[in-house]
Amino acid sequence: MQLLKDRIRKDGKIKSGNVLKVDSFLNHQMDIKLFEEIGKEFKRRFEGEEINKILTIEASGIGIACIVAQYFDVPVVFAKKTKTKNIAGDVYTTKVESFTHGKVYDIIVSKEFLGPGDKVLLIDDFLANGKALEGLAALVKDSGAHLVGAGIVIEKGFQTGGERLRAEGIRVESLAIVDGMDEEKGTIWFREDE
Ligand code: 5GP
C-alpha cells in the first residue's frame, strides 16, 4: 500500500533493537483518514471471504480494528492483557511473549464473544516475531471458531513471524512489509511485491 509506505518513510522513526516508531500516525496519535484507507484495503484484500468478527489485541490494535470493522460491518473483540493469575469467569486464555517489552503475559477473551460459528479476521498494527498473532490464533482455535486470516498494517519481514505463520497455513495480508532499516542513516527498505 503505497500511501502507507510513503507515510512510514516520512514519519517513521527507527529506534535501536529493530523497533520502528510510528507514534505520530498509528500507535499514539492516530490518523483516522489513513485508518480509513487501511480499512478499504483490507476489505479489498479479503473480498469474498465470509467474516463476522474482527479480533485484535489491546492496546494499539483497537483503534485500527474499529475503523477497519466499519468496512466489514462486523463487531470488534479485543483480547485483554492481564497479569492476574486467577482468571475469573468463562474465558479463553493463552500466553504471549511481548516483543517490545520482553515480558510474558496472559491474554483473555470471554467465551461470550467468540465461539463455534464465528468467522474471524485478526487485525494488528505490527507483526514481528509473531507471538501476538499466534496468541490470537490460539484463542480462535480454542473457541472452535474459523480463522479466515490476519490483516497486519506493518510487517517486519526481517523477523520470523510472518514466514512461520504463513507456513502454518494462516493467510497473512500485510499492507507494508519492511525488509530492513538503517538506524544511523534513517533509511527503510520495503518489499515491493505485496
Ligand atoms: P510480535 O508478537 O509479532 O513479535 O510483535 C507484535 C506486537 O509487538 C505488536 O502488537 C506491536 O504492538 C509490537 N511491536 C513489534 N514490533 C514493533 C515495532 O517495531 N514498533 C512498534 N511500535 N511496535 C512493535
Side-chain angles (χ1 to χ4, degrees):
M1 186 181 169
Q2 197 55 48
L3 182 74
L4 176 65
K5 291 193 238 178
D6 291 346
R7 189 63 180 272
I8 296 167
R9 276 218 174 87
K10 183 169 154 278
D11 292 331
K13 293 189 170 63
I14 304 160
K15 300 286 172 189
S16 59
N18 281 330
V19 171
L20 176 62
K21 277 225 149 199
V22 284
D23 278 4
S24 64
F25 61 95
L26 195 75
N27 284 147
H28 195 5
Q29 175 168 262
M30 299 183 281
D31 181 339
I32 301 306
K33 287 281 170 224
L34 177 66
F35 282 22
E36 286 174 351
E37 294 308 315
I38 287 169
K40 286 179 204 165
E41 181 61 15
F42 282 137
K43 178 69 181 158
R44 190 183 70 77
R45 292 196 188 201
F46 286 97
E47 197 63 68
E49 294 283 357
E50 212 184 313
I51 290 162
N52 76 327
K53 207 158 272 188
I54 286 178
L55 178 65
T56 188
I57 183 165
E58 69 176 0
S60 42
I62 298 174
I64 301 160
C66 287
I67 303 295
V68 172
Q70 291 191 301
Y71 295 90
F72 288 85
D73 199 17
V74 298
V76 174
V77 177
F78 66 91
K80 297 187 176 194
K81 294 175 181 172
T82 171
K83 290 190 196 101
T84 320
K85 284 273 181 291
N86 302 315
I87 294 157
D90 258 355
V91 295
Y92 305 108
T93 181
T94 190
K95 290 198 182 305
V96 169
E97 195 186 316
S98 158
F99 170 78
T100 33
H101 304 109
K103 286 183 192 146
V104 177
Y105 52 87
D106 294 302
I107 60 170
I108 61 162
V109 166
S110 168
K111 289 187 178 172
E112 200 181 334
F113 305 125
L114 199 62
D118 280 328
K119 295 169 177 63
V120 182
L121 174 65
L122 306 179
I123 293 286
D124 206 3
D125 57 344
F126 271 92
L127 172 58
N129 292 322
K131 301 295 181 187
L133 214 55
E134 240 168 31
L136 292 176
L139 296 182
V140 172
K141 195 167 180 226
D142 285 356
S143 76
H146 171 65
L147 179 59
V148 176
I152 298 295
V153 181
I154 304 172
E155 176 177 340
K156 293 193 289 182
F158 54 89
Q159 289 178 251
T160 56
E163 204 179 328
R164 197 178 63 253
L165 287 156
R166 289 183 183 98
E168 285 169 18
I170 297 175
R171 178 177 174 196
V172 181
E173 293 284 345
S174 300
L175 303 187
I177 301 181
V178 175
D179 266 342
M181 308 192 287
D182 186 323
E183 194 188 341
E184 258 172 43
K185 293 191 185 118
T187 47
I188 299 172
W189 305 268
F190 291 100
R191 198 169 302 176
E192 292 304 331
D193 60 355
E194 84 271 16

